[in-house]
Amino acid sequence: MFTEEQIPELLAQLTLEEKCSLLSGSDFWHTQPVERLGIPALMVSDGPHGLRKQAVGADEMGLEESAPATCFPTAAALASTWDVTLLTEIGRALAEEAKAQGVGVILGPGVNLKRSPLCGRNFEYFSEDPLLAGELAAALAAGIQSGGVGTSVKHFAANNQETDRMRTNARIDERTLREIYLSIFERIIERARPATLMCSYNRINDVYSSENRWLLTEVLREEWGFDGLVMTDWGRSTTVSQESPPGWTWKCRPRTAGTTGSSPRPSGQAPWTNPTWTGPSRACCGWSPGTTGKHPRNTSISGPTTNWPARPHREAPCCLRTKGRRSPCPGSVTSWSSGRWPAPPDIRGPDRRR
């Protein structure tokens, strides 16, 4: 690897294309390499409670086989010890295993607060209390990084439920955000200086975390002085140039993100102002960019479907399953034919983990 003194020289040698390539993953677990300058692909891996490295056959749900690793108690159990020294020692042990497996960054710890007994990740969050969670998570992160392995503290911020987490909107006033939900991250940054932070999927007060200038620039960078890397959670992409995108967008499975800014809308409507759901996918109903004419399932309507960017089958709202049934295709909403942009159906699928 390189020393800090060599980094400015390397940056000066990178082309614009090479710099841009460093902002996304090359596959499910690796960053993009720059072989011309000897910059290797960096491997990241799950592992707050035991490294989960998938050498081959990487998958989102963790169904493929992982390399053997020590299984440590979950954050919920470790928080019950109130033992900062113990958390630091566990961090050092995790770093040793990560280095042995060639992992450069551990995706954790998860430090969101427990706000509902139905949250599918409560076991891997520390506490209901930001002080306790912040102290213990800072100790764990410091222990990992003392061994030369980076951490990615997550999920920044207000990821307190798993149900519908890709679209949910957490409405929280600023005082509550700062005193409860953000104070835990501020404490960890001050105590441990983590190498990276990972954005949450959800919106905060109508703006997605990965596109939230107030959160990522004004608070994180300018007020707290965080100089590490900010990455998106897996599958999330951002295209809002007027906002503050994260430093590292993990989109190793490319997809079309929400249309924003001056992108086209149906005739007579104002430009986009916020990231918005953009219509059905090709796999769902057959419409995709460049397609014109009748809707394949409702021939009574037709329209300029170039205004409907495609979305992956698994992310299109009309393709999410609820109790084994599909909801109606949103393209068949009759309000579309009258010139109004249809809202996505209210679908709440099963609790899912990254």
Side-chain angles (χ1 to χ4, degrees):
M1 299 299 288
F2 303 98
T3 64
E4 289 191 19
E5 291 74 20
Q6 293 174 300
I7 291 176
E9 182 181 349
L10 282 172
L11 289 174
Q13 297 180 59
L14 287 169
T15 66
L16 179 61
E17 290 77 11
E18 289 169 338
K19 290 178 181 178
C20 291
S21 75
L22 294 175
L23 299 180
S24 65
S26 61
D27 59 24
F28 206 89
W29 296 118
H30 292 85
T31 63
Q32 294 275 7
V34 180
E35 296 178 359
R36 180 178 67 86
L37 298 177
I39 300 175
L42 179 70
M43 184 173 192
V44 303
S45 180
D46 288 335
H49 317 121
L51 198 64
R52 187 176 76 87
K53 177 187 176 181
Q54 292 179 303
V56 294
D59 69 290
E60 184 173 4
M61 300 303 295
L63 301 179
E64 296 292 337
E65 187 171 343
S66 300
T70 304
C71 181
F72 293 96
T74 63
L78 291 174
S80 300
T81 68
W82 295 60
D83 192 333
V84 173
T85 302
L86 174 63
L87 269 291
T88 304
E89 292 176 0
I90 290 175
R92 294 194 185 107
L94 281 168
E96 290 302 314
E97 292 202 19
K99 287 190 293 185
Q101 295 287 349
V103 172
V105 175
I106 293 176
L107 302 178
V111 300
N112 294 110
L113 301 178
K114 304 174 195 287
R115 285 292 177 262
S116 167
L118 301 179
C119 178
R121 305 187 85 144
N122 277 345
F123 72 97
E124 62 178 86
Y125 294 154
F126 286 88
S127 174
E128 302 89 342
D129 179 76
L131 175 60
L132 176 61
E135 290 289 340
L136 295 182
L140 181 63
I144 293 172
Q145 297 200 156
S146 69
V149 175
T151 58
S152 186
V153 179
K154 58 185 184 182
H155 304 85
F156 191 61
N159 187 109
N160 305 108
Q161 70 179 58
E162 285 293 282
T163 301
D164 203 27
R165 65 178 177 169
M166 300 291 287
R167 298 189 299 157
T168 192
N169 185 15
R171 297 184 180 274
I172 310 172
D173 65 87
E174 184 172 348
R175 178 178 178 179
T176 305
L177 264 174
R178 287 183 177 275
E179 292 184 0
I180 299 177
Y181 295 93
L182 299 185
S183 64
I184 180 174
F185 290 94
E186 184 179 14
R187 184 178 300 274
I188 296 168
I189 289 170
E190 179 184 330
R191 302 289 179 86
R193 299 187 63 84
T196 80
L197 253 63
M198 185 188 295
C199 297
S200 56
Y201 284 122
N202 52 278
R203 288 172 288 173
I204 299 176
N205 297 326
D206 302 325
V207 182
Y208 282 101
S209 297
S210 61
E211 300 168 346
N212 195 315
R213 175 177 175 79
W214 177 81
L215 182 70
L216 299 183
T217 298
E218 295 179 21
V219 174
L220 181 63
R221 300 290 189 187
E222 297 174 1
E223 293 185 23
W224 298 352
F226 180 69
D227 59 359
L229 184 115
V230 179
M231 70 171 77
T232 64
D233 207 339
W234 267 232
R236 172 63 71 199
S237 180
T238 179
T239 59
V240 185
S241 58
Q242 68 269 30
E243 296 291 350
S244 296
W248 189 7
T249 299
W250 199 273
K251 49 181 180 179
C252 50
R253 292 185 172 182
R255 68 182 180 89
T256 303
T259 305
T260 55
S262 59
S263 301
R265 293 189 75 180
S267 176
Q269 296 194 26
W272 297 107
T273 56
N274 285 313
T276 309
W277 173 78
T278 55
S281 71
R282 180 199 309 266
C284 172
C285 67
W287 275 9
S288 62
T291 304
T292 58
K294 303 293 184 181
H295 184 280
R297 292 188 183 175
N298 188 342
T299 57
S300 64
I301 63 172
S302 61
T305 59
T306 52
N307 290 331
W308 292 68
R311 290 172 66 93
H313 181 76
R314 68 184 182 91
E315 294 239 354
C318 54
C319 295
L320 296 178
R321 294 182 177 273
T322 305
K323 295 182 178 179
R325 298 191 300 272
R326 291 179 186 273
S327 66
C329 173
S332 64
V333 178
T334 56
S335 63
W336 190 83
S337 61
S338 62
R340 297 200 306 274
W341 199 252
D346 185 14
I347 299 172
R348 304 192 182 279
D351 203 34
R352 298 177 180 175
R353 297 181 58 236
R354 218 281 314 127

